[in-house]
Amino acid sequence: MNNPQQLRYSKEHEWLSDAEGGVSTVGITEHAANALGDVVYVQLPEVGDTVTADETCGELESTKSVSDLYSPVTGEVVEVNQDVVDDPALVNSAPFTGGWLFKVKVTDEPANLMSADEYASFTGN
């Protein structure tokens, strides 16, 4: 698996883009998408919701299981990916591009986010 170098990663298998104008994009990694299997339903936070780093903010349901979605940062949700709500399979087919989940105006970013290389070591990939 090729984890994009420009992203940071959480131990809960979410990725975070660099903030543009204070707003970062959040998604789940290819590793997590593969482990989940075919994603058939996503429950995302709503625009205006406050998410907190390392706390549950949604849910992903696959043909194998249901998994909590954790926010890698603290902040206010400013956009959700309606395409993923309408077609959850995007999480599997394009986890780092069209399968992103939500955008957040970051107010606090924990120091424990990993680089792509650190995440690869963490997952054994």
Side-chain angles (χ1 to χ4, degrees):
M1 281 179 242
N2 291 326
N3 298 307
Q5 292 293 319
Q6 74 275 18
L7 302 176
R8 289 176 310 258
Y9 301 86
S10 75
K11 289 185 177 182
E12 298 296 337
H13 308 287
E14 283 81 24
W15 57 260
L16 179 75
S17 72
D18 285 335
E20 293 182 26
V23 175
S24 291
T25 303
V26 175
I28 68 163
T29 65
E30 184 177 3
H31 174 84
N34 289 341
L36 276 170
D38 295 333
V39 176
V40 295
Y41 174 77
V42 296
Q43 176 198 350
L44 301 176
E46 295 183 16
V47 171
D49 284 355
T50 298
V51 293
T52 303
D54 301 323
E55 291 190 8
T56 303
C57 65
E59 191 174 87
L60 300 168
E61 184 177 326
S62 73
T63 54
K64 292 182 183 179
S65 67
V66 175
S67 180
D68 288 331
L69 172 65
Y70 293 86
S71 180
V73 293
T74 299
E76 180 183 345
V77 176
V78 297
E79 184 179 349
V80 297
N81 187 350
Q82 188 62 43
D83 291 341
V84 165
V85 173
D86 296 340
D87 182 10
L90 285 171
V91 171
N92 298 103
S93 64
F96 295 114
T97 54
W100 62 273
L101 301 176
F102 63 93
K103 295 185 180 187
V104 59
K105 185 166 182 64
V106 178
T107 57
D108 186 46
E109 182 177 314
N112 64 348
L113 294 176
M114 296 175 275
S115 69
D117 293 338
E118 291 167 331
Y119 182 73
S121 292
F122 174 72
T123 60
N125 292 321

